[in-house]
Amino acid sequence: MDVVDAELQLGSPSNERTKAEKVRVIACGAIAREVLAIRQTNGLDHIDLLCLPAIWHAHPEKIAPGVEQAIAEARAEGFSRIFVGYADCGTGGLLDRVCEREGVERIAGPHCYSFFAGNEAFAAKDDDVTSFFLTDFLARQFRAFVIEPLGLDRHPQLKDMYFGNYKKVVYLSQVEDEALQQKAKEAADYLGLAYEYRFTGYGDLTGELLRAR
């Protein structure tokens, strides 16, 4: 099983700080690799990462209650500073209610596609309404997180029902990896859609984690 497909806790590489001094980042497992890369590159050893199941990407109704429970557990462990590593991610404002009630902040934006692209840049792309987005994680896990949850492996005729109004697959890549680009192209071919590649890097995620202090 991929390490980001299950609940994952990765403490800070430095043990010099107490839990009260660290920041518990409660994040979606689908962005675990990116959070860890940003932490390492920027020397953010005060970040203590807890990732919730990435499959909640397909079940957004689980995100708000799951985050609320994780916040309570973090406080019980002694963390006084907490940051939520999710955008709204399909919760319809429920996650914001949890964050407001608990007095914590989350990543700005409607979803990971937006903050990876840069929220302002993403909002300005009018033609993206008919685009289906992939990130590095979804390109890597397309079968497990798209095909199987939607039942396309069992009922391929559902592809037209789910994707008939889309025009293209847009792959927003965080790292330049030819193997992942090939996987994204294969996903587009599978769905019968045009393919577009955009290298975004980590977008707004870096800045969001830099302010999580």
Side-chain angles (χ1 to χ4, degrees):
M1 179 181 293
D2 194 298
V3 71
V4 295
D5 291 346
E7 187 169 327
L8 169 69
Q9 182 170 344
L10 294 169
S12 166
S14 171
N15 293 320
E16 295 178 359
R17 295 178 182 238
T18 66
K19 287 184 176 179
E21 294 175 315
K22 293 179 181 178
V23 178
R24 166 60 60 84
V25 173
I26 300 167
C28 173
I31 65 169
R33 291 172 185 262
E34 290 72 29
V35 173
L36 292 173
I38 291 168
R39 186 178 75 175
Q40 180 177 359
T41 300
N42 294 277
L44 304 179
D45 62 355
H46 64 287
I47 285 180
D48 182 283
L49 176 62
L50 172 74
C51 283
L52 301 180
I55 194 60
W56 288 1
H57 182 277
H59 301 280
E61 73 280 1
K62 296 184 178 182
I63 295 173
V67 168
E68 187 168 24
Q69 180 179 344
I71 290 172
E73 292 173 353
R75 286 184 171 145
E77 292 176 37
F79 289 94
S80 60
R81 296 185 294 170
I82 298 168
F83 184 78
V84 174
Y86 282 87
D88 178 75
C89 296
T91 69
L94 293 179
L95 182 58
D96 281 334
R97 294 180 193 175
V98 169
C99 290
E100 182 177 0
R101 185 164 60 246
E102 298 293 339
V104 302
E105 294 186 68
R106 68 164 174 87
I107 297 174
H111 39 62
C112 61
Y113 316 121
S114 182
F115 67 68
F116 276 139
N119 285 313
E120 290 187 10
F122 189 87
K125 292 284 289 185
D126 294 336
D127 62 333
D128 279 344
V129 175
T130 57
S131 298
F132 181 75
F133 292 92
L134 298 177
T135 61
D136 286 359
F137 178 85
L138 287 176
R140 190 180 292 111
Q141 302 283 355
F142 185 72
R143 169 167 286 277
F145 282 78
V146 179
I147 294 177
E148 293 176 0
L150 294 178
L152 303 182
D153 52 333
R154 302 180 301 279
H155 307 286
Q157 70 275 13
L158 293 176
K159 278 195 289 186
D160 288 340
M161 181 183 300
Y162 287 124
F163 296 97
N165 292 322
Y166 287 102
K167 293 183 178 179
K168 61 183 176 180
V169 166
V170 177
Y171 173 30
L172 305 175
S173 75
Q174 287 67 71
V175 297
E176 295 184 288
D177 185 315
E178 291 186 3
L180 287 181
Q181 290 180 45
Q182 182 59 37
K183 286 180 179 292
K185 290 177 183 177
E186 291 171 359
D189 290 343
Y190 174 83
L191 297 176
L193 300 174
Y195 173 74
E196 181 178 335
Y197 173 75
R198 300 179 197 167
F199 174 70
T200 65
Y202 301 128
D204 291 347
L205 182 59
T206 298
E208 293 287 335
L209 292 177
L210 286 171
R211 71 182 180 88
R213 296 182 178 275

